[in-house]
């Protein structure tokens, strides 16, 4: 079985190619893309968030057999576009991570938000950012999303 990951066709090795295999484990164990984290395994924490056809998805709940013809993007591919690159800069500027464990999922959720809603309100951010952070980085996450949105809006001006 092959998947489209970060713009490349990647063959899943034996052991990761059962159609019922959660994408999270295929990424981490089959393809060594360990930036996507395993938190709860039941769709609650968001640590495993990736994009499937541009939409944030919790990869612990996505069987690889459902991904034929779809494009998966992981944290390793985040900075390949302007939204991801802006978020990466904002995360650094605001020193968002503490332990860092939840941050891949936070960034992927934030990238999905800014793709849908370039200038999100505080309510938009709260609605989109349902990821859990044991270190309590929520205020810095919100501030960094605002900074990235402002930078991107500025870059769009003629
Ligand atoms: Fe997937 Fe927690 S590991 S939502
Ligand atoms: Fe530690 Fe979020 S930075 S869990």
């Amino acid at each position: 079985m092959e998947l489209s990951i970060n713009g490349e066709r990647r063959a899943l090795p034996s052991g990761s190619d059962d159609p019922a295999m959660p994408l999270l484990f295929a990424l981490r164990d089959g393809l060594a893309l360990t930036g996507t984290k395993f938190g709860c395994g039941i769709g609650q924490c968001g640590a495993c968030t990736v994009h499937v056809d541009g939409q944030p998805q919790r990869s612990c709940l996505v069987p690889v057999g459902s991904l034929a013809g779809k494009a998966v993007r992981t944290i390793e591919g985040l900075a390949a576009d302007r939204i991801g690159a802006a978020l990466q800069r904002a995360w650094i500027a605001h020193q968002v991570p503490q332990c860092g464990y939840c941050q891949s999922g936070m960034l992927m959720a934030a990238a999905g938000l800014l793709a849908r809603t370039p200038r999100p309100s505080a309510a938009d951010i709260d609605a989109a950012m349902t990821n859990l952070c044991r270190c309590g980085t929520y205020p810095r996450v919100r501030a960094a999303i605002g900074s990235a949105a402002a930078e991107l809006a500025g870059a769009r001006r003629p």
Side-chain angles (χ1 to χ4, degrees), residues 47-102:
C48 67
T49 302
V50 301
H51 292 184
V52 177
D53 282 349
Q55 299 299 317
Q57 300 279 329
R58 295 190 171 182
S59 62
C60 65
L61 299 182
V62 177
V64 294
S66 72
L67 294 170
K70 298 186 177 176
V72 175
R73 186 182 182 203
T74 70
I75 188 69
E76 288 85 356
L78 176 77
D81 75 7
R82 55 195 292 279
I83 292 175
L87 283 166
Q88 198 173 58
R89 285 190 291 276
W91 245 243
I92 293 167
H94 286 269
Q95 293 287 288
V96 174
Q98 190 162 320
C99 82
Y101 200 84
C102 70

Side-chain angles (χ1 to χ4, degrees), residues 114-146:
L114 292 187
R116 292 190 305 278
T117 309
R119 293 307 301 265
S121 65
D124 293 331
I125 294 173
D126 287 345
M129 300 302 295
T130 57
N131 303 41
L132 300 180
C133 174
R134 290 178 60 177
C135 301
T137 62
Y138 304 111
R140 295 200 298 275
V141 166
R142 291 189 190 95
I145 291 171

